[in-house]
Amino acid sequence: DKGYEPMPTWKDEYDFKVEKGKFRFLTGRYVMFTQSATTNNIMLRDLMATNHLWINDKKAKELKIKLGDMVEVKSSIGKVRVKAYPTNKIHPEVVWFAHGFNSQSYHMKNSCDKGANDNQIIEDRFEKIYGCATMHHTDVEIRKV
């Protein structure tokens, strides 16, 4: 009655398409961190000091981006800088970096101003039926800085 299917049904329109020159941004976590406060834990930071932008190695080569190069990731709402990690472990139209880094709280001395904060580039979008945030619907541009 509300225009939604009672059972999930795949439709081709659900398959994401990215404009030429852009990437779909995904975010997630490294296994040792749970939420953003754990990136402030100095013992865990010994294991992973910062986050890196995972970018497909062939795409990185096209953009002349090498391991450790600083890149700018820009969405419609903001931009961040983060070091690049070219890899064959990610789709050519997707980039990823871990959540929880670069806390904006100066009280989190071990994570403030370190790495990139995904909250600064994720667009506010919500799922239509139950209203949760859809964190993987942001398209970004990448450039070496």
Side-chain angles (χ1 to χ4, degrees), residues 4 14 108 110 134:
Y4 300 108
Y14 297 155
M108 293 179 66
N110 297 316
T134 56

Side-chain angles (χ1 to χ4, degrees), residues 86-102:
T87 178
N88 66 354
K89 298 173 187 161
I90 194 161
H91 190 278
E93 295 179 336
V94 173
V95 292
W96 177 92
F97 66 73
H99 170 77
F101 288 82
N102 195 6

Side-chain angles (χ1 to χ4, degrees), residues 13 16-17 27 32 37 41 48 50 59 63 67 72 75 77 82 84 87-88 93 97-99 108 116 120 129 133 142:
E13 66 196 51
F16 80 90
K17 297 185 180 28
T27 187
M32 69 285 287
N41 182 312
M48 184 65 64
T50 190
K59 282 292 197 181
L63 297 170
L67 177 65
E72 181 181 85
S75 73
I77 65 160
V82 62
T87 178
N88 66 354
E93 295 179 336
F97 66 73
H99 170 77
M108 293 179 66
Q120 293 177 310
I129 296 175
I142 309 294

Side-chain angles (χ1 to χ4, degrees), residues 28-46 48-49 98-112 114 116-119:
R29 292 186 172 86
Y30 293 126
V31 70
M32 69 285 287
F33 300 113
T34 54
Q35 300 295 333
S36 54
T38 56
T39 60
N40 194 52
N41 182 312
I42 196 67
M43 291 182 289
L44 296 176
R45 295 290 297 238
D46 279 346
M48 184 65 64
H99 170 77
F101 288 82
N102 195 6
S103 166
Q104 300 303 289
S105 170
Y106 66 89
H107 294 292
M108 293 179 66
K109 293 178 181 15
N110 297 316
S111 64
C112 187
K114 294 178 178 84
N117 186 332
D118 55 353
N119 293 320

Side-chain angles (χ1 to χ4, degrees), residues 127-144:
E127 199 279 330
K128 295 175 187 172
I129 296 175
Y130 54 95
C132 73
T134 56
M135 296 175 63
H136 298 142
H137 284 226
T138 298
D139 291 343
V140 297
E141 297 174 41
I142 309 294
R143 74 176 181 89
K144 184 177 171 179

Side-chain angles (χ1 to χ4, degrees), residues 17-31:
K17 297 185 180 28
V18 180
E19 256 182 69
K20 185 173 172 66
K22 292 192 176 187
F23 298 86
R24 178 62 49 98
F25 174 70
L26 302 181
T27 187
R29 292 186 172 86
Y30 293 126
V31 70

